[in-house]
Structure formats: structure tokens, C-alpha cells
Amino acid sequence: MEKRWVEMKGHSEGDRYRQFFCHHPEAVFCFDCEGNVLDMNSSGKELTGYSLRELKGMAITSLVDFADRNKAVRYFERTLEGRKQNYQIKLRHKTGKVKALRVVSLPLDDGPEVTGVCFIVRKVGDPKQEKETAQYLVDYDRSTELPNKSQLRKLLGGELESRRSGTLMAFHLENLKSVNETLGYQSGDLILKEVAKQIKKVAADAKVVARIGGNEFALLFSGMSDKGEAARTAQKVLNVLDKLFELDGPAFSLSGNIGIVQYPEDGREVEKLLKNANQAMRSAKEQRKNHFEFFSAEINEKMVRRLKLESGLRKAIQEKALKVVFQPRIDARSFKVVGMEALLRWHHPELGSISPGEFIPIAESTGLIVPIGEWVLKTACKQNKKWQEAGHVPMRISVNLSVLQLKQDDLVETVARILEETGLEGRWLELEITEEMLMGTEKETIRTFHKLRKMGIQMAIDDFGTGYSSLRYLKDFPVNRLKIDRSFIQGIEGNQKLRTIVETILSLAKGLNLNVTAEGVEEASQHAFLKERHCDEVQGFLFSPPLSDQDFQSFLLSNGHATGEVKCPV
Ligand code: C2E
Ligand code: CA
Ligand code: CA
């Protein structure tokens, strides 16, 4: 199967769609929202007698027989509302001849907005077959040949009306997007078809297996009211992904999650059940890959909070409700403040202070982390420059980078622009990334690191020890510093294993000429242990929690003013 996918890689996605459009045996027309022709394929030319040049900009009504113009407008408007239409209409050929044709009219969208309409037109044939085809198009997904969401709604509605009990599963396929991006949409389609086939096989007793979205399936089991049986079935469905792709190596591994609802307990209406199944699926997805979860009141609460945070976060950016705080980084020997880490804070107007551990993943999953991260970087650089201008000893500021930021093609340009705008020299900036972020796009990331290093910026690996701690990363990536995760520091006093791990990291770093910062230092004994083993820097509540800009400044002043020396807390 892999070979077939690889062979399709030659053309760009745009090329392939263009070819598909041009050579489609049915006439295809694209209209803007006003109903003017934007494009058509060669079958369209045959059908109307007009060339694309003649037709471009022409209104839909001038293509339709006079008697059918109101009908055409009506159906066009319904499509603009986002609903697919399927109807018969009389078109007028350039020669004046009128033909009865079947039109499937689809909204073209760009995200939630409808930006135009597409017509697929064919001649009216055998009325019985026509009716069947039309019904098929309304009820089925053409790619997988599975029933679609509207058909699922009908069947689920029937179940509820006849007061039956049963189970509905929402199955979301992960990584399909990256397969589409790397191998092309045709390969993505092939995978979808194969997944559909396998699900049908393992869920043979399902009343229906439907495709309800781009990468979402639903399985309806009439009469299945036992939770254990539902759980076993869900696991079998998830196992399909392991079996299916075990031959294709890690690059093609697909994962998925399932949300399960049982009716009537979890809802007596179609839409509510679909919504609850989707919530359970999202909650399962947050837990881990290839996991299923049953819907529950707690999940509902969690998801409602998540939705509030998600919409709140969008507003927080506009309303400037985000803040950056600064935690001092201290030289373990001299107690001098050698830098600070910029950390994000958010006070939600209704839910109060939200920890970054909760909102950063939301910002990442919605993509909001990119503008937010840029804002943090700018704020941090600006503030650091301000302290330098106020006469403090210049210090390096660390800023956390999210994986999404690292994937942005223009990351290096963005950082360069921010340095330029704020006037901070690159050598006073350090960027922190976690180990997991180094996986995958390795070559590009190494190039990015080199470019950033050239600008004088230091690179640090954050939370070191919690990820893969691969020595290969340390060899390949041009980093300056390791930050030992606080889970290794806390409890170090009474735990020989932790002590050995920390000692090993420290000697490894020394051997590779890397600086080390220990995070989460709360106790004097932890500091003493680290100092004895030549750890360079410490950061933690023993010295200071993260502080507002004013408090950080007072901290500097009360601890030795311009030299930034901390009074020995030990
Ligand atoms: P991190 O980068 O590992 O940041 C260190 C975290 O440890 C901070 O949590 C800090 O307040 C906390 N901490 C410092 N000293 C101590 C201590 O002695 N004891 C304990 N128990 N905790 C200590 P915070 O601010 O809640 O941030 C959590 C995580 O959120 C950060 O972990 C980082 O991964 C992420 N984060 C925070 N700000 C940003 C940001 O601007 N961008 C991105 N991408 N992530 C951020
Ligand atoms: Ca960090
Ligand atoms: Ca950390």
C-alpha cells in the first residue's frame, strides 16, 4: 500500500485538484456568492456551448431557461446558506436549445464562511435511476460509500422514536491531516476507504457505520446497552488502526479516539447524543492516543469549562488580559541573578486565575499560541531592554517556545524583527524548547537553531529528563543549556535514584560543555546538593516565585541593586 501512496506524490495538491476539475466527465461550474460564473470545466463548455471566456462573469439566471429562473435563484440561495441541493432544472444552450438537467449544488466554504457555490450538472436520464442517484448523493459519502451524517441522524432518530436503547460511538481519526499533507489527498482518501472497510468488518453488528466528517466516523449499535460490551467493541475498532498500518512504519502511523454515549441515558435527542459523543471523544483525545471514553457529567463539565477557556482566550488577547511574569535564575555559587524566565499568566474574568498548564494546551490546539507566543516574546524582550536601560547588570531572558511556533516557517524572521523592534541584542535572549519538540522535523529544526544561534540567541532544552532524553538530540542540536525538570529536584533529599539521575545529567552536560539549570528548587538542601555537583544555575521558590515586572525590579534592588546579587537564602 505504501508504494502506491508514494507514487502519487509527484503533483502538488492544487495541480491534482485542477486536473480532477478539468477532466471530470460531468460539467462542473463555480459561482461567486452573487451567482456569477467564476470557472467551468471542458464538460461545462460542451453542455452550454459557451467558452469559459464568454461565460466568465455571466449570471446564473442567463444560463437558465426563463421559466426556471426563480427556481434557480431559490436553490442558489439555499446553497449559500450552507445546504447541499439536488434538483432538476432547464438550462439554455448558446444555440437557444433548452435541456432538462440535474444539478447538485454545493456550498464552497473557507472555514465557516460560504464563499461561493459549485454546480455539478448532468443530463436527466432514467427517472428511477435518477431518483436513486439523487437519494444516494444526499444520504451517502461518495468517498467511503458509507452513509453520511444526515443518514445517521435519520437512523438515530428512528431508534429514539421507537424508544430503543443502544450505543453511539464517535470515532475521530488523528494524523489524517499530516498524511494528506505528506502523501497527498488521494492517499488520504485511500486510507479512509481502508479504515472504513476495516471498521465495518470488526463492527459487523452495527446498525450503521457512517462517515460524519472529514476524519470522523460514527457507529450506531441498536440494543447494545451493556457498557462492557460497548467498551470491548470500541477497543476492537481502535485496534483496526494498529493492524492496518503496522506494515507501513512510523511515518504512517494513524491513531484515533472514540467517545461513547448510550441512549436513552445520555440523551433522548439526536443532536444532544451527537454532541455528547463528540465531547467524550474530545476528552478521550486529551487523555492519550487510541483511547476511548464514555460520556459522563464530569466530561460535560470539563468540556463546558474548556469551551469557556477557548472563547475566553480569544478575548484575552484582544482585551490584553494576559500578563508576563519573571522568575529569577540564580547562579548556584555566587547567588547573582543571572537571568529570568518569562512565564505567562491569565486572569479569566469569571473563572479567576488559570494556570498555564491548563490554558497553554488549549492555545496550542487552537493555534492561538502563535500570536500569544509572539506577544510574550515581544513583551519579554521589551522588558529586558527596559531593565538594561535603567542601569541593571544586563541579564539573559528565557522565553518558552511552543512546538507550533517552532513549526512556523517565519520563526527566525519573527524573532529577528522583535529584537530589532525592541532594541534587545540577541545575546540577551534564550529560547526554551522541550525535548519532544525536537522530534519529527529534525533537519529543519537544526537549521532553525543554527540561524537563531547566529543571531547570538542561546537555546535551552526545557524539562530535560521527562521526554526521551536522547543523547542523539544533544549531539545533533546546537543547544547551550539543559534545564533539569523539577520532578527530579523535588524529593531529591531522600531518594537515591533521583540523586543518581541528577548527577548523571550534570556530568553528561559537563562532558558536552552544556550549562545546566535546575528547576523547582524549593529547599536549601536541594540547592546544597546541586551546588556541590557544580550545577550552574538554580531557579525555584527558594529564591523567588515568578514576579511582576515591578516586583522583579524591587527584587533586584533589594538584593544588591545593580549587581543583581541575591542575599544568600541558605
Ligand atoms: P516551565 O517552562 O517548566 O516553567 C517552570 C514552571 O515551574 C513555572 O510554572 C513556574 O512557576 C514553576 N516553578 C518555578 N519554581 C518552582 C518551584 O520551586 N516549585 C514549583 N512547584 N514550581 C516552580 P508555570 O508558570 O505554571 O508554567 C507552567 C508551564 O507552562 C511552563 O513550564 C511552560 O511549559 C508553560 N508556559 C508558561 N509560560 C509560557 C509561555 O509563555 N509560552 C509557552 N509556550 N509555554 C509557557
Ligand atoms: Ca521553561
Ligand atoms: Ca521546565
Side-chain angles (χ1 to χ4, degrees):
M1 187 186 280
E2 183 181 352
K3 187 155 172 284
R4 234 183 324 154
W5 296 340
V6 174
E7 279 166 3
M8 290 174 191
K9 274 166 86 175
H11 299 286
S12 79
E13 188 193 325
D15 285 349
R16 279 196 303 274
Y17 277 94
R18 189 75 216 157
Q19 284 190 24
F20 177 71
F21 172 76
C22 291
H23 304 301
H24 201 285
E26 285 163 352
V28 185
F29 299 85
C30 297
F31 297 90
D32 62 17
C33 292
E34 271 71 53
N36 302 315
V37 176
L38 291 173
D39 205 352
M40 74 166 169
N41 63 0
S42 50
S43 309
K45 187 176 165 193
E46 242 171 69
L47 193 81
T48 59
Y50 292 104
S51 70
L52 178 59
R53 255 223 338 259
E54 290 170 308
L55 207 64
K56 222 171 190 173
M58 226 155 122
I60 176 177
T61 42
S62 38
L63 276 172
V64 175
D65 182 45
F66 192 76
D68 269 359
R69 285 187 177 180
N70 287 344
K71 182 175 175 184
V73 171
R74 208 163 56 238
Y75 278 104
F76 192 87
E77 281 171 353
R78 281 189 207 157
T79 317
L80 279 180
E81 286 161 12
R83 289 179 286 161
K84 179 163 131 185
Q85 304 294 312
N86 189 328
Y87 54 97
Q88 200 172 313
I89 203 149
K90 290 190 214 80
L91 281 204
R92 181 178 289 274
H93 190 267
K94 191 178 173 184
T95 57
K97 218 170 138 191
V98 174
K99 277 187 211 166
L101 296 165
R102 163 73 49 196
V103 175
V104 174
S105 123
L106 307 156
L108 294 170
D109 51 32
D110 182 8
E113 240 177 89
V114 175
T115 52
V117 167
C118 168
F119 277 13
I120 303 169
V121 186
R122 63 164 69 148
K123 286 181 200 143
V124 178
D126 167 23
K128 186 167 167 272
Q129 196 193 348
E130 269 297 313
K131 206 171 159 215
E132 280 169 7
T133 315
Q135 197 54 43
Y136 184 83
L137 285 172
V138 170
D139 289 340
Y140 284 81
D141 164 53
R142 288 179 88 182
S143 170
T144 56
E145 296 179 356
L146 291 178
N148 59 17
K149 200 167 186 173
S150 94
Q151 177 77 336
L152 172 77
R153 279 197 178 101
K154 274 186 221 159
L155 292 169
L156 183 56
E159 285 281 292
L160 296 170
E161 246 169 52
S162 51
R163 300 186 174 277
R164 274 197 286 266
S165 60
T167 297
L168 172 73
M169 298 183 188
F171 175 34
H172 176 91
L173 259 189
E174 202 56 44
N175 336 5
L176 191 65
K177 196 165 160 258
S178 58
V179 171
N180 282 339
E181 278 164 7
T182 36
L183 295 179
Y185 280 82
Q186 282 159 312
S187 310
D189 246 30
L190 271 182
I191 293 178
L192 265 178
K193 278 184 191 155
E194 192 59 28
V195 171
K197 204 168 105 191
Q198 298 298 330
I199 300 178
K200 279 189 83 167
K201 221 187 216 174
V202 297
D205 49 347
K207 179 166 183 139
V208 62
V209 175
R211 183 175 178 206
I212 57 170
N215 48 1
E216 245 165 81
F217 297 93
L219 295 88
L220 179 66
F221 297 90
S222 180
M224 187 190 280
S225 49
D226 178 52
K227 269 202 152 91
E229 192 187 353
R232 282 190 296 280
T233 309
Q235 192 55 57
K236 268 201 278 181
V237 173
L238 288 172
N239 291 348
V240 160
L241 300 179
D242 292 344
K243 286 208 192 87
L244 193 56
F245 299 102
E246 60 196 9
L247 297 175
D248 300 319
F252 302 108
S253 72
L254 275 187
S255 60
N257 288 100
I258 292 180
I260 309 173
V261 282
Q262 297 203 293
Y263 51 88
E265 305 91 287
D266 296 328
R268 290 167 192 274
E269 295 134 39
V270 171
E271 292 314 313
K272 191 166 180 195
L273 282 169
L274 284 170
K275 185 185 114 221
N276 290 350
N278 187 48
Q279 281 195 356
M281 184 277 294
R282 285 181 62 172
S283 169
K285 195 171 142 193
E286 278 176 10
Q287 302 284 318
R288 60 179 184 273
K289 280 181 186 172
N290 296 334
H291 180 59
F292 64 82
E293 240 183 76
F294 283 88
F295 174 77
S296 66
E298 294 81 65
I299 285 185
N300 188 34
E301 228 168 77
K302 196 169 84 183
M303 288 299 148
V304 167
R305 177 176 168 94
R306 202 195 141 99
L307 277 180
K308 268 190 193 166
L309 291 181
E310 215 175 284
S311 63
L313 204 50
R314 285 174 208 277
K315 275 199 218 129
I317 305 175
Q318 290 150 14
E319 291 167 5
K320 302 192 173 18
L322 299 173
K323 276 197 173 51
V324 176
V325 288
F326 306 88
Q327 187 175 34
R329 288 169 28 202
I330 316 286
D331 182 293
R333 292 206 145 260
S334 69
F335 291 105
K336 276 191 179 148
V337 181
V338 284
M340 56 293 220
E341 176 171 3
L343 292 158
L344 197 49
R345 293 290 174 265
W346 177 28
H347 191 88
H348 188 283
E350 182 193 333
L351 304 168
S353 162
I354 315 293
S355 90
E358 185 175 12
F359 74 79
I360 297 270
I362 298 177
E364 282 178 333
S365 71
T366 51
L368 287 169
I369 193 68
V370 176
I372 291 177
E374 191 175 324
W375 175 80
V376 172
L377 186 64
K378 188 161 182 184
T379 309
C381 292
K382 203 154 107 190
Q383 185 60 57
N384 199 18
K385 180 73 183 170
K386 216 164 148 189
W387 282 319
Q388 290 182 1
E389 285 173 347
H392 292 288
V393 174
M395 284 175 286
R396 194 172 288 130
I397 190 153
S398 314
V399 178
N400 294 285
L401 273 196
S402 146
V403 63
L404 263 186
Q405 287 174 277
L406 196 62
K407 278 188 184 161
Q408 301 294 305
D409 291 336
D410 60 351
L411 173 69
V412 175
E413 288 78 30
T414 304
V415 175
R417 176 173 47 78
I418 288 176
L419 287 177
E420 168 136 23
E421 280 169 9
T422 57
L424 187 76
E425 285 176 57
R427 65 184 163 133
W428 302 121
L429 175 64
E430 182 165 296
L431 297 173
E432 297 189 3
I433 62 258
T434 56
E435 278 171 278
E436 295 93 283
M437 288 164 58
L438 302 179
M439 289 175 60
T441 53
E442 289 174 21
K443 275 196 191 128
E444 289 149 53
T445 314
I446 292 174
R447 264 200 297 275
T448 304
F449 276 32
H450 277 296
K451 285 185 196 156
L452 293 167
R453 287 281 300 267
K454 261 202 182 138
M455 291 154 61
I457 296 165
Q458 301 243 324
M459 303 302 296
I461 299 190
D462 202 359
D463 305 341
F464 189 77
T466 56
Y468 297 85
S469 307
S470 162
L471 298 180
R472 197 162 60 79
Y473 294 138
L474 296 184
K475 176 176 80 64
D476 294 343
F477 284 88
V479 292
N480 308 84
R481 175 187 308 281
L482 301 183
K483 296 192 79 177
I484 307 180
D485 190 62
R486 70 164 184 265
S487 57
F488 295 107
I489 306 299
Q490 288 174 3
I492 203 167
E493 304 90 325
N495 189 325
Q496 186 51 45
K497 272 193 190 152
L498 286 182
R499 295 161 87 95
T500 309
I501 292 175
V502 172
E503 280 170 346
T504 311
I505 297 177
L506 283 167
S507 69
L508 175 75
K510 281 285 156 284
L512 293 169
N513 215 8
L514 298 171
N515 276 312
V516 179
T517 303
E519 298 185 309
V521 178
E522 291 183 356
E523 304 289 337
S525 57
Q526 296 162 357
H527 170 251
F529 173 86
L530 293 159
K531 189 170 119 186
E532 220 170 87
R533 281 150 190 85
H534 310 291
C535 177
D536 306 283
E537 276 183 16
V538 281
Q539 187 180 334
F541 295 168
L542 175 64
F543 306 98
S544 168
L547 303 166
S548 68
D549 52 346
Q550 292 100 330
D551 289 347
F552 188 85
Q553 174 130 353
S554 314
F555 179 82
L556 285 180
L557 294 175
S558 65
N559 286 289
H561 192 46
T563 61
E565 193 172 318
V566 181
K567 278 182 201 141
C568 176
V570 189

